[in-house]
Amino acid sequence: MKTLGKSARETAASAAEGRRVSPDAPTPSFGGEVRQLRKVRRMTLKQLSGASGVSLSHLSAIERNATKPSLDVIEAVATALSITPDWFFARRSGQGPMERAYVVRAEERRNLNALYAQSPQELGYVDRLLSSSIGGDFYMGIAHYAPGAERIDETLMSFEGEQHGVLIEGELELRLGGETVLLRPGDSYSHPASIPHHGRNRSDKPAVLIWAVSPVVIPTEVTQKDAAD
């Protein structure tokens, strides 16, 4: 579970204030961000209430934007979702509300590793979100594999849904079931995500992979299959 310090409180406070002064932008509100992440975590409102200590009625009001939560509540919800408050207040630049809502500049990509139970070193890659939100039917990301990077424990991932990817730089070993396939720039793949899989870079050069996964499910453990509201 992630711990939250003074800087996290200050970030949440300033970001929340920035969100309130831009009501014209169709970006997700705090409540919308909470709902998106709760569903991505495969948690019900009741489960989130139990984990956060925030009442079910208050959480429901937060997700409906019927109330403004205190910093203590924001911290409690973030901790229950294994994230720091920063995630809820991502900001994107742009001339108009549509651009701010739906266009992601390269330097403003959200850090997906912040949602994972394992560190980038343990996983062997750094993930950034390409999609404008995690609230759709699928989401896209870009993974950067350092030279010689591979998962420390060699565990293959497996979850419900489907996965697609295209390698745009370097070489990547795709472990798929009982096979190992070497991907080169321009090579792509699509497969049921239930097939145990993982990518690793055993070359001496960086590798970059663009991927898409459906549905959008990021539990703290990839084997979790609880249904959300």
Side-chain angles (χ1 to χ4, degrees), residues 1-17 30 69-79 82-90 114:
M1 182 174 291
K2 300 181 182 297
T3 57
L4 310 176
K6 181 179 179 181
S7 61
R9 290 178 63 89
E10 293 173 345
T11 299
S14 60
E17 183 63 28
F30 173 75
S70 67
L71 283 179
D72 287 339
V73 168
I74 291 174
E75 286 193 10
V77 171
T79 300
S82 298
I83 196 67
T84 61
D86 311 54
W87 177 268
F88 299 125
F89 302 103

Side-chain angles (χ1 to χ4, degrees), residues 11-225:
T11 299
S14 60
E17 183 63 28
R19 178 67 59 84
R20 285 196 292 270
V21 299
S22 301
D24 59 320
T27 51
S29 61
F30 173 75
E33 291 280 359
V34 170
R35 178 174 173 80
Q36 283 184 10
L37 187 53
R38 174 179 65 79
K39 294 178 75 67
V40 163
R41 291 296 201 204
R42 309 296 275 179
M43 296 178 71
T44 63
L45 269 173
K46 184 176 181 180
Q47 289 170 331
L48 181 56
S49 175
S52 66
V54 180
S55 71
L56 190 63
S57 60
H58 192 34
L59 279 176
S60 177
I62 288 172
E63 290 196 356
R64 290 183 286 105
N65 297 311
T67 186
K68 293 181 180 179
S70 67
L71 283 179
D72 287 339
V73 168
I74 291 174
E75 286 193 10
V77 171
T79 300
L81 291 169
S82 298
I83 196 67
T84 61
D86 311 54
W87 177 268
F88 299 125
F89 302 103
R91 301 187 68 176
R92 290 199 294 270
S93 59
Q95 295 299 312
M98 292 298 171
E99 181 180 348
R100 291 193 295 272
Y102 304 122
V103 176
V104 181
R105 300 299 177 184
E107 65 275 10
E108 296 175 337
R109 293 170 184 159
R110 301 171 88 171
N111 177 20
L112 282 171
N113 289 91
L115 302 184
Y116 304 157
Q118 302 89 357
S119 68
Q121 293 73 26
E122 292 173 315
L123 290 172
Y125 57 87
V126 174
D127 256 348
R128 297 283 178 179
L129 182 64
L130 295 179
S131 298
S132 58
S133 80
I134 54 173
D137 294 328
F138 73 94
Y139 69 127
M140 293 177 58
I142 183 168
H144 291 263
Y145 295 78
E150 58 182 295
R151 193 182 181 105
I152 292 177
D153 61 11
E154 292 294 311
T155 301
L156 300 183
M157 296 184 291
S158 178
F159 48 90
E160 295 180 0
E162 58 184 64
Q163 186 156 323
H164 309 259
V166 57
L167 190 69
I168 61 174
E169 182 182 331
E171 293 185 348
L172 195 69
E173 281 191 4
L174 175 64
R175 300 180 62 190
L176 191 60
E179 300 180 21
T180 299
V181 182
L182 182 62
L183 299 178
R184 298 182 178 87
D187 292 344
S188 59
Y189 62 83
S190 301
H191 64 82
S194 57
I195 299 175
H197 61 276
H198 188 61
R200 58 187 180 186
N201 180 11
R202 289 190 164 180
S203 74
D204 59 358
K205 296 180 180 179
V208 181
L209 176 76
I210 291 179
W211 52 263
V213 173
S214 176
V216 186
V217 178
I218 316 175
T220 52
E221 298 296 336
V222 295
T223 55
Q224 184 176 333
K225 297 180 181 178

